[in-house]
Amino acid sequence: MYKVIFTLVLAVASFMGLQAQEFQGMAVYESKTSTSDFKTRMEGNKNMTPDMQKIIEERMKKMFEKTFILNFNKTASIYKEEEKLEASTQAGGGFRMMSSFAGGGGTFYKNVKDKQYSNDKEFMGKEFLVKDSLTSLAWKMEAETRVIGGYTCYKATAVKKPSATDFRNMRPRKEDADKKEGAKPADDKKTNFLDAVEVPKEIVITAWYTPEIPVSQGPEGYWGLPGLILEVNDGRTIILCSKIVLNPKDKVEIKSVIKGKVVSQKEYDEAVMKKMEEFREMNQGRGGREGGMQIRFGN
């Protein structure tokens, strides 16, 4: 109880301090998604050479290890992947498609006062501007604390339905049929990549926020806590703040972008899922030729 009261007092004091000035902050986040389960599948695949495994691992590392910049004020923020000079031109069609929805993509703007967000995304050569209401998670406040970057952070957890169009949420599909007693694994089982993965019905989110920076902001679409979220962990992806600058000398204009076809999140997800299904059917017709995403499971 003492910790909770102290947290509230600290948040109020800090908030009053921020009111005295035109507050703005910048936070750098490192995002990393574990691919160990996919690596295990590849290592058990006799049809995949060590060189092929190495190439795929390098491509997945580029897809799932990214740096983002969050610029925020008291009510709004913009979250965007850090621009890199090096562009990936070696990935096949399947990897390019997955990279476009493996986290990030355009500028994610959210206004916690209006509870609205927008995100400009490019998918399969088309530009979209996703505009919708922010999802409010039922955060469970914990008393556990830890220090991140010199800031005292408190733990909060929530259960979330993962997005089917965010590749980071996908897990290798369990082959229950092959595990049944007496069942024999297929001698040469071809599986389209999109058929070999699945999205769980729900995931547990663990967040660490600091009342010392009393803004209800965080990376990506995370928000709703009495302090800036410095770390988010969904069991597979970790987004960790590595640097914070309060009231930087060079201010950034925090506003929503306006380019792209305006769609709701549901409309965008449906468009992506439709394209994924078309890609899956096209890939099956290719029979594993170059540019497809055919992989083989089984010995």
Side-chain angles (χ1 to χ4, degrees):
M1 177 62 71
Y2 174 77
K3 285 186 176 181
V4 174
I5 294 175
F6 176 77
T7 301
L8 293 175
V9 171
L10 180 61
V12 171
S14 299
F15 180 74
M16 292 178 66
L18 297 185
Q19 291 293 318
Q21 56 185 317
E22 190 61 34
F23 173 75
Q24 191 174 117
M26 184 275 289
V28 179
Y29 291 87
E30 308 295 336
S31 175
K32 183 175 182 179
T33 300
S34 172
T35 57
S36 58
D37 44 7
F38 289 105
K39 184 177 180 181
T40 300
R41 286 291 186 96
M42 287 192 296
E43 291 175 346
N45 185 353
K46 293 182 179 180
N47 296 302
M48 188 174 292
T49 66
D51 288 341
M52 290 171 62
Q53 291 183 22
K54 184 177 180 180
I55 291 173
I56 292 177
E57 287 177 18
E58 289 176 350
R59 290 177 180 177
M60 293 185 79
K61 182 177 180 180
K62 289 182 179 180
M63 285 169 55
F64 297 126
E65 292 186 13
K66 299 181 179 182
T67 301
F68 295 86
I69 306 296
L70 177 74
N71 288 284
F72 58 92
N73 56 33
K74 290 174 289 186
T75 59
S77 67
I78 52 175
Y79 184 74
K80 189 174 183 179
E81 183 177 355
E82 183 180 53
E83 294 183 1
K84 296 181 180 179
L85 297 176
E86 164 182 310
S88 175
T89 59
Q90 298 178 347
F95 273 99
R96 283 197 298 271
M97 184 189 76
M98 289 190 297
S99 294
S100 67
F101 59 100
T107 300
F108 194 109
Y109 167 86
K110 62 178 180 287
N111 188 309
V112 298
K113 181 179 179 180
D114 299 336
K115 296 183 179 180
Q116 298 289 319
Y117 74 90
S118 66
N119 189 13
D120 60 315
K121 285 179 170 289
E122 181 180 343
F123 183 74
M124 302 295 285
K126 294 184 178 181
E127 292 186 345
F128 295 89
L129 180 59
V130 182
K131 300 184 72 173
D132 219 317
S133 300
L134 284 170
T135 300
S136 299
L137 296 179
W139 292 107
K140 179 182 178 182
M141 315 297 279
E142 310 281 355
E144 187 176 347
T145 65
R146 58 180 288 205
V147 176
I148 299 177
Y151 292 91
T152 299
C153 296
Y154 291 78
K155 181 179 179 180
T157 58
V159 176
K160 174 185 176 183
K161 180 180 179 181
S163 169
T165 60
D166 187 339
F167 186 77
R168 296 171 302 173
N169 294 321
M170 297 182 182
R171 276 70 165 161
R173 189 181 300 277
K174 295 180 180 179
E175 297 178 315
D176 296 328
D178 288 343
K179 294 180 180 180
K180 291 182 180 179
E181 186 175 354
K184 295 181 180 180
D187 293 331
D188 185 17
K189 184 179 180 181
K190 288 185 179 180
T191 306
N192 181 281
F193 185 82
L194 297 176
D195 290 332
V197 295
E198 61 184 354
V199 176
K201 293 182 179 180
E202 61 182 29
I203 53 178
V204 176
I205 305 297
T206 299
W208 294 90
Y209 67 95
T210 176
E212 296 173 28
I213 307 177
V215 293
S216 185
Q217 294 287 351
E220 296 187 2
Y222 293 104
W223 69 291
L225 289 168
L228 180 65
I229 299 173
L230 299 190
E231 180 178 321
V232 175
N233 187 332
D234 68 2
R236 183 180 178 84
T237 298
I238 297 177
I239 306 175
L240 176 63
C241 182
S242 59
K243 179 182 179 180
I244 296 176
V245 178
L246 299 180
N247 291 308
K249 183 178 179 180
D250 297 322
K251 295 290 193 296
V252 175
E253 188 175 14
I254 299 176
K255 66 177 184 179
S256 173
V257 295
I258 57 175
K259 67 177 182 178
K261 178 183 177 181
V262 177
V263 295
S264 66
Q265 187 66 58
K266 181 180 179 181
E267 290 171 333
Y268 174 77
D269 290 345
E270 289 175 348
V272 171
M273 296 301 290
K274 181 180 179 180
K275 281 295 182 182
M276 288 173 63
E277 180 61 24
E278 292 176 358
F279 187 86
R280 183 187 67 82
E281 294 176 355
M282 177 183 66
N283 185 57
Q284 287 178 334
R286 288 178 176 175
R289 292 196 297 272
E290 183 179 359
M293 282 296 292
Q294 286 277 353
I295 58 176
R296 297 169 182 261
F297 292 140
N299 297 326

